[in-house]
Amino acid sequence: GTWVEAAYTLTHGTAAKDYFRMSAGLDYSPAQMVYTFAEYHLNTPGAADADEYAAASATPAYTDGATYLLGRHYVALGASLATNPLLASGVQVILNLSDGSALVAPSLEYSFAEDVYLAAGAFVGAGRVGGGSAAAEFAAYADMLYGTIRLYF
């Protein structure tokens, strides 16, 4: 499958600039229990360089428009594998093409009863931490582990 989503946002005020955001992607299942996807995201209010992230985050796109990615160009890749009907694992990687940082998100999910799921995963950032210039976007994120239980009724 393929998809494209886009939004052109009109802002108000003397310092505000209109902005455009777009995501385009494709997904493919090469086998019955395997799912993969790739996506490109364009974020025009984002900065071209990590040194500009602080200034960009003060613009209306971030303060009023719920924009959160700080760079301009991103690629996301992901894959999941259901080893059996009760157990699934996956990994997603978001790569900031502007600064080379990445966010890696592995996950594991187990269904131990009908409509009851246990899941665990992590978000791990990688990239330039500092050294005289601003940190790369995902290197500045705190690593996070999580666990969930979902019940559907």
Side-chain angles (χ1 to χ4, degrees):
T2 60
W3 65 88
V4 175
E5 301 172 17
Y8 187 82
T9 303
L10 304 173
T11 59
H12 300 287
T14 56
K17 290 183 183 178
D18 298 345
Y19 59 93
F20 177 73
R21 294 176 16 180
M22 187 251 333
S23 294
L26 54 98
D27 59 6
Y28 178 66
S29 290
Q32 185 176 2
M33 310 264 293
V34 177
Y35 171 78
T36 62
F37 75 88
E39 180 174 297
Y40 168 75
H41 180 69
L42 172 65
N43 180 46
T44 64
D49 186 83
D51 292 329
E52 301 168 4
Y53 287 162
S57 66
T59 64
Y62 294 88
T63 59
D64 300 328
T67 298
Y68 61 93
L69 294 171
L70 297 172
R72 287 198 181 142
H73 303 281
Y74 294 85
V75 170
L77 304 169
S80 64
L81 170 66
T83 54
N84 64 53
L86 302 177
L87 184 64
S89 62
V91 65
Q92 295 181 30
V93 177
I94 302 173
L95 178 61
N96 179 329
L97 299 177
S98 301
D99 66 20
S101 66
L103 185 66
V104 180
S107 63
L108 186 63
E109 180 177 88
Y110 177 68
S111 175
F112 69 91
E114 187 175 345
D115 295 329
V116 182
Y117 298 87
L118 290 175
F123 294 101
V124 179
R128 182 180 78 243
V129 176
S133 62
E137 179 176 12
F138 295 125
Y141 283 26
D143 293 343
M144 181 175 72
L145 298 173
Y146 68 89
T148 65
I149 185 168
R150 294 190 321 270
L151 171 64
Y152 296 95
F153 54 91

